[in-house]
């Protein structure tokens, strides 16, 4: 179950939907439920449906935590956030959280896992995570600090897009791929430090980051040698 202030939403599959809904209505006296299939990206489907029905802004303020029945075979919840049962992937985050330390067992942030968490100010991604998915942290407009661990290898397209209050980012040495506009529209971003070699990257990673005047890179990294700028932004070579 997802626990909200104003309504309850089931996480289920089509095969179990009818049986689960009937049982819940009988036991709790509810007159209306919403369910959705696991085959879809949860964050996108729920958000779009709520926007279409005109309830998005109300529910966005009310979602305090996500709770999962211990008998659920596919999902579990820790600290109010939603994970796969084996705790290797983060699936979704409540909008009302102001800080989040992701479970240490997680290896991947799913697409849209933390999207539009407008009150989130601090995010710690643990060592062990290797992939930050498509729009995983997009539109977290209050986010001021994020810790990206040394184990991360790829940061997908628009992963941190529109994190408007993010001021600094350190990209670990193991990152080899960064998607287009991964940090686009981070309008307060002033400091970017690359700890490793130049990654494979799409264009416009830092699109509309008007306050970002330089990117710091290691002086002893061969792939940066001879380069004066990257993504249209001047480079500053830092000695270790």
């Amino acid at each position: 179950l997802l626990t909200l202030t104003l309504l309850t939403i089931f996480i289920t599959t089509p095969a179990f939907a009818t049986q689960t809904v009937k049982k819940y209505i009988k036991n709790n006296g509810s007159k209306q439920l919403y369910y959705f299939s696991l085959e879809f990206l949860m964050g996108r489907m729920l958000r779009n449906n709520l926007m279409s029905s005109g309830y998005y802004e109300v529910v966005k303020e009310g979602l305090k935590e996500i709770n999962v029945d211990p008998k659920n075979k596919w999902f579990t919840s820790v600290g109010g956030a939603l994970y796969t049962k084996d705790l290797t992937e983060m699936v979704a985050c409540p909008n009302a959280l102001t800080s989040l330390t992701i479970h240490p067992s997680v290896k991947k942030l799913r697409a849209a896992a933390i999207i539009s968490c407008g009150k989130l100010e601090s995010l710690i991604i643990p060592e062990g995570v290797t992939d930050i998915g498509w729009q995983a942290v997009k539109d977290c407009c209050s986010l001021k600090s994020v810790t990206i661990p040394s184990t991360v290898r790829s940061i997908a397209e628009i992963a941190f897009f529109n994190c408007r209050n993010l001021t600094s980012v350190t990209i670990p040495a193991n990152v080899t791929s960064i998607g287009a506009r991964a940090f686009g529209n981070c309008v307060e971003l002033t400091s970017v430090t690359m700890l490793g070699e130049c990654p494979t990257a799409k264009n416009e990673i830092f699109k509309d980051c008007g306050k970002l005047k330089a990117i710091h890179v290691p002086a002893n990294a061969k792939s940066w040698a001879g380069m004066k700028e990257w993504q249209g932004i001047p480079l500053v070579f830092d000695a270790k």
Side-chain angles (χ1 to χ4, degrees):
L1 294 179
L2 299 183
T3 302
L4 290 86
T5 303
L6 301 177
L7 56 91
T8 301
I9 299 176
F10 267 102
I11 303 173
T12 186
T13 58
F16 294 100
T18 301
Q19 178 183 353
T20 305
V21 168
K22 286 182 177 179
K23 182 178 179 181
Y24 188 82
I25 291 175
K26 179 180 179 180
N27 293 340
N28 296 273
S30 300
K31 295 183 179 180
Q32 187 174 23
L33 294 174
Y34 297 85
Y35 70 89
F36 45 91
S37 172
L38 292 172
E39 64 186 299
F40 296 100
L41 285 176
M42 172 192 152
R44 291 180 64 196
M45 184 177 181
L46 178 59
R47 184 171 184 256
N48 292 344
N49 285 343
L50 289 172
M51 289 180 71
S52 297
S53 63
Y55 291 111
Y56 175 69
E57 291 300 325
V58 175
V59 174
K60 184 174 74 170
E61 292 300 315
L63 183 55
K64 305 296 184 183
E65 61 181 357
I66 301 172
N67 293 308
V68 180
D69 190 314
K71 296 180 182 179
N72 191 295
K73 297 179 180 180
W74 301 279
F75 295 116
T76 188
S77 59
V78 179
L82 183 67
Y83 299 88
T84 53
K85 191 68 173 182
D86 61 2
L87 290 171
T88 60
E89 296 185 31
M90 184 173 181
V91 180
C93 174
N95 299 86
L97 287 184
T98 58
S99 64
L100 175 65
T101 299
I102 297 172
H103 194 278
S105 297
V106 169
K107 304 299 180 186
K108 178 180 180 179
L109 299 191
R110 279 193 181 184
I114 313 177
I115 190 172
S116 298
C117 289
K119 296 182 179 181
L120 188 68
E121 296 183 2
S122 173
L123 174 63
I124 298 177
I125 304 172
E127 291 291 330
V129 171
T130 58
D131 301 288
I132 298 176
W134 174 67
Q135 65 177 16
V137 196
K138 180 176 177 284
D139 293 334
C140 292
C141 296
S142 298
L143 187 65
K144 298 177 181 179
S145 66
V146 59
T147 300
I148 302 175
S150 63
T151 50
V152 168
R153 297 193 301 261
S154 68
I155 300 173
E157 293 183 8
I158 59 175
F160 293 91
F161 185 85
N162 202 37
C163 291
R164 301 176 65 87
N165 278 294
L166 190 63
T167 58
S168 65
V169 173
T170 298
I171 307 296
N174 284 324
V175 172
T176 58
S177 174
I178 303 178
R181 294 179 292 165
F183 296 93
N185 209 42
C186 293
V187 295
E188 294 297 324
L189 190 62
T190 59
S191 174
V192 172
T193 301
M194 311 290 296
L195 297 182
E197 299 288 345
C198 182
T200 300
K202 300 293 185 179
N203 292 330
E204 300 182 328
I205 291 175
F206 302 105
K207 180 177 175 59
D208 297 326
C209 296
K211 293 185 178 182
L212 182 60
K213 304 303 182 183
I215 296 175
H216 291 255
V217 301
N220 60 350
K222 295 180 179 179
S223 57
W224 297 109
M227 296 175 62
K228 294 183 178 180
E229 63 177 36
W230 187 61
Q231 298 285 312
I233 301 171
L235 298 179
V236 174
F237 289 85
D238 295 334
K240 284 190 176 181

